[in-house]
């Protein structure tokens, strides 16, 4: 029977924190880029301009039909040099981390796009017509009238997707990015406490997600009032 040894966890916390920072960096960047790009994709789907509609629909369908692990491997194995040239990445920067950030951002945009599109469609169409009657362009009406109203209903869903994204960041272990989970596994492998460190990492993910989910539920109740 395995004898648990938790004594090494306090000494490992500084190392684990460096991994947690990587996890937070990937999560925050993917949320920001995902929402911005997802909003543009949603507007393309609703623009009425067929080429933009087809592009946005194809993009969303592609990324929602492919496992995230495969997308991570694609960006790491197939396009690292392309990413370095396009983003002007210094040779000193870990291309694995850059690949993970780009893959997560593009992948999450497909999911955020559908949330945002549904939020926009939930706003009565008369709002856009009223904006047009006031002399606003389609873009101004969307930006100043429709999107602010849609955002109120979308926030809980956007935050829920952010929690899912936080959980999914652990998949970067497939390209050996030293995020929180990978760091915990490495420390456990080094110290012979792999079971304890993996359980501890799982407990941290569990606590963070439960607390975040509770906050989202509280926000949903406020929005519903």
């Amino acid at each position: 029977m395995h004898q648990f040894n938790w004594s090494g966890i306090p000494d490992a916390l500084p190392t684990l924190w460096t991994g947690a920072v990587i996890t937070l960096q990937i999560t925050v960047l993917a949320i920001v880029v995902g929402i911005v790009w997802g909003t543009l994709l949603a507007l393309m789907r609703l623009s009425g301009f067929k080429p933009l509609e087809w592009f946005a629909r194809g993009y969303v369908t592609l990324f929602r039909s492919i496992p995230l692990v495969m997308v991570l491997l694609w960006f790491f194995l197939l396009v690292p040099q392309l990413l370095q040239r396009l983003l002007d990445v210094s040779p000193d920067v870990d291309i694995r981390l850059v690949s993970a950030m780009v893959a997560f951002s593009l992948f999450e945009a497909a999911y955020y796009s559908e949330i945002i599109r549904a939020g926009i469609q939930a706003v009565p169409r008369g709002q856009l017509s009223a904006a047009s009657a006031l002399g606003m362009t389609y873009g101004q009406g969307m930006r100043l009238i429709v999107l602010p109203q849609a955002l109120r209903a979308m926030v809980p869903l956007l935050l829920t997707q952010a929690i899912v994204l936080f959980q999914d960041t652990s998949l970067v272990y497939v390209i050996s990015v030293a995020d929180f989970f990978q760091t915990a596994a490495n420390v456990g492998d080094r110290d012979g406490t792999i079971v304890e460190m993996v359980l501890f990492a799982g407990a941290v993910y569990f606590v963070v997600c439960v607390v975040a989910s509770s906050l989202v539920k509280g926000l949903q109740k406020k929005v519903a009032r």
Side-chain angles (χ1 to χ4, degrees):
M1 183 176 179
H2 183 80
Q3 296 295 320
F4 289 100
N5 177 16
W6 307 99
S7 61
I9 291 179
D11 292 336
L13 290 179
T15 304
L16 293 174
W17 173 247
T18 62
V21 170
I22 297 297
T23 294
L24 292 175
Q25 287 177 338
I26 296 172
T27 302
V28 172
L29 182 68
I31 290 172
V32 173
V33 175
I35 289 177
V36 172
W37 180 222
T39 300
L40 293 175
L41 288 170
L43 293 176
M44 289 180 197
R45 289 284 298 273
L46 300 172
S47 66
F49 184 56
K50 291 300 180 184
L52 290 180
E53 283 187 44
W54 293 335
F55 169 78
R57 184 180 292 111
Y59 180 100
V60 171
T61 300
L62 174 65
F63 278 96
R64 295 190 66 174
S65 303
I66 298 173
L68 176 55
V69 171
M70 189 176 294
V71 176
L72 286 167
L73 289 173
W74 277 358
F75 277 88
F76 175 62
L77 297 175
L78 302 181
V79 291
Q81 290 80 15
L82 178 62
L83 287 177
Q84 277 187 310
R85 294 195 202 97
L86 289 177
L87 302 178
D88 193 24
V89 178
S90 168
D92 297 329
V93 175
D94 188 352
I95 193 61
R96 295 172 301 177
L97 178 58
V98 175
S99 299
M101 288 179 169
V102 173
F104 268 100
S105 297
L106 297 181
F107 185 85
E108 290 300 318
Y111 288 85
Y112 280 123
S113 172
E114 292 299 277
I115 295 172
I116 294 167
R117 185 169 68 92
I120 292 173
Q121 290 179 319
V123 176
R125 295 183 63 87
Q127 296 289 325
L128 201 56
S129 299
S132 179
L134 292 173
M136 294 184 182
T137 64
Y138 175 82
Q140 289 174 326
M142 276 290 181
R143 180 167 54 88
L144 300 175
I145 304 296
V146 177
L147 283 176
Q149 294 183 64
L151 183 63
R152 179 178 174 85
M154 289 189 297
V155 167
L157 291 175
L158 294 175
L159 293 177
T160 299
Q161 184 61 33
I163 295 172
V164 174
L165 165 60
F166 172 73
Q167 295 171 329
D168 288 345
T169 56
S170 61
L171 292 175
V172 297
Y173 79 89
V174 299
I175 56 175
S176 301
V177 174
D179 72 320
F180 179 73
F181 177 77
Q182 182 66 41
T183 301
N186 290 342
V187 171
D189 189 52
R190 180 196 68 193
D191 298 341
T193 56
I194 184 68
V195 174
E196 291 83 348
M197 294 307 302
V198 169
L199 288 175
F200 176 73
V204 171
Y205 279 103
F206 175 79
V207 171
V208 171
C209 292
V210 167
V211 171
S213 297
S214 298
L215 294 175
V216 171
K217 287 180 181 178
L219 181 61
Q220 284 178 317
K221 291 179 181 179
K222 289 184 179 180
V223 170
R225 290 176 184 172

